[in-house]
Amino acid sequence: YIQTEFIKRGSSGVFAKLSTRSPKDVLMESQKLKQILKNNLLSVPKEDQNGEMIAYINSLIAAGNFTDGKEIIDVFSHSERVYVDLKRWLQFSTELGEMLITLREFDPDLRAHMEFRGFVYKNKLTAVTQYYDTTFFPILKEKEQIYKQRILTFFEEIQPLIKLENYIVDFVCFDDKIKVIELNPWATTTGASLFSWHKDRSVLMNGPFEFRILYSPV
């Protein structure tokens, strides 16, 4: 079925995951990642550890581009994350609802600094953070206000279309457009990136709006 969808859609590649999580653990150990990373590190100056981290994350993103249905099944079948999530679903399927394999068209222009996580409480966007919380992206520091305003404007456009009151939303900000990657449950089990569910709970629920990025390497 997955291979048929590839052919039918004429897709050059997709990102694949369960309803819950992706098989990232397999990708992190794959030869595919190692080869992509080797090439990406060629443009990183020596001893630039932050640059190496950016190259690693971008390589991991690229390794998640699947171009064959058999590759997806192979990766899923070797993933501990997938195994744990499916086992839990088999035990609690009534409470957890449907479990799906989701395929999202892969955009080769996607880079790590473009991804953000937003917190929405009572239909209000209370906070936004860069998605990858351990890496400093110079371009975010340089264009912080531009990204902030673009996301706020975009959220105002899409908010009436989302039939939820409380949720966490992941955005990707390309130069010419913003897309919603996915919606996640409003729960402490969803990662808060540069925010803390314990320390920042008041902000996440009540505002005032905060936009958080790193301003220097960790």
Side-chain angles (χ1 to χ4, degrees):
Y1 173 78
I2 294 175
Q3 191 63 32
T4 301
E5 286 298 305
F6 268 114
I7 296 171
K8 184 170 68 176
R9 297 170 185 267
S11 175
S12 59
V14 299
F15 174 77
K17 65 185 286 290
L18 292 180
S19 303
T20 48
R21 295 190 292 179
S22 72
K24 182 170 63 175
D25 52 333
V26 175
L27 297 177
M28 291 172 70
E29 302 295 330
S30 68
Q31 288 299 317
K32 182 180 181 182
L33 171 63
K34 292 176 183 178
Q35 186 57 54
I36 296 171
L37 179 58
K38 181 179 179 181
N39 293 334
N40 284 344
L41 286 175
L42 294 176
S43 60
V44 179
K46 291 183 178 180
E47 299 183 3
D48 182 358
Q49 294 182 345
N50 189 73
E52 291 176 353
M53 181 59 71
I54 293 174
Y56 175 78
I57 298 174
N58 283 329
S59 299
L60 185 59
I61 291 172
N65 181 20
F66 296 102
T67 57
D68 182 83
K70 293 180 180 178
E71 181 187 10
I72 293 175
I73 297 302
D74 181 63
V75 170
F76 273 48
S77 65
H78 288 87
S79 171
E80 180 72 15
R81 284 159 61 96
V82 168
Y83 171 77
V84 169
D85 287 1
L86 287 177
K87 183 178 179 181
R88 183 169 181 267
W89 177 75
L90 288 172
Q91 292 175 316
F92 305 104
S93 58
T94 303
E95 295 89 342
L96 296 176
E98 230 178 356
M99 176 67 79
L100 302 172
I101 294 178
T102 64
L103 305 178
R104 184 170 68 239
E105 184 174 2
F106 186 86
D107 193 318
D109 294 327
L110 176 62
R111 297 294 181 271
H113 72 271
M114 301 175 180
E115 295 191 54
F116 298 86
R117 171 154 288 182
F119 300 81
V120 181
Y121 192 75
K122 293 185 178 179
N123 297 313
K124 180 181 178 182
L125 184 63
T126 57
V128 171
T129 169
Q130 65 180 66
Y131 185 83
Y132 296 99
D133 60 339
T134 61
T135 306
F136 164 63
F137 298 102
I139 191 172
L140 292 186
K141 181 178 180 180
E142 176 187 347
K143 298 183 177 182
E144 176 184 4
Q145 294 304 316
I146 294 175
Y147 279 109
K148 175 181 176 180
Q149 192 54 56
R150 287 184 65 203
I151 290 173
L152 285 170
T153 300
F154 178 72
F155 178 75
E156 289 301 314
E157 296 171 357
I158 66 166
Q159 189 275 324
L161 305 176
I162 300 175
K163 306 306 179 183
L164 296 170
E165 187 177 41
N166 307 322
Y167 55 93
I168 294 171
V169 53
D170 292 338
F171 304 102
V172 56
C173 295
F174 295 101
D175 290 340
D176 60 341
K177 61 192 174 186
I178 300 180
K179 291 183 176 181
V180 170
I181 298 176
E182 64 183 12
L183 302 181
N184 298 284
W186 177 273
T188 56
T189 52
T190 303
S193 193
L194 292 178
F195 289 93
S196 163
W197 281 107
H198 175 65
K199 296 179 181 178
D200 300 311
R201 192 168 187 84
S202 177
V203 171
L204 298 179
M205 294 179 67
N206 306 308
F209 176 79
E210 284 196 32
F211 186 85
R212 290 189 183 179
I213 62 171
L214 292 177
Y215 295 99
S216 60
V218 177

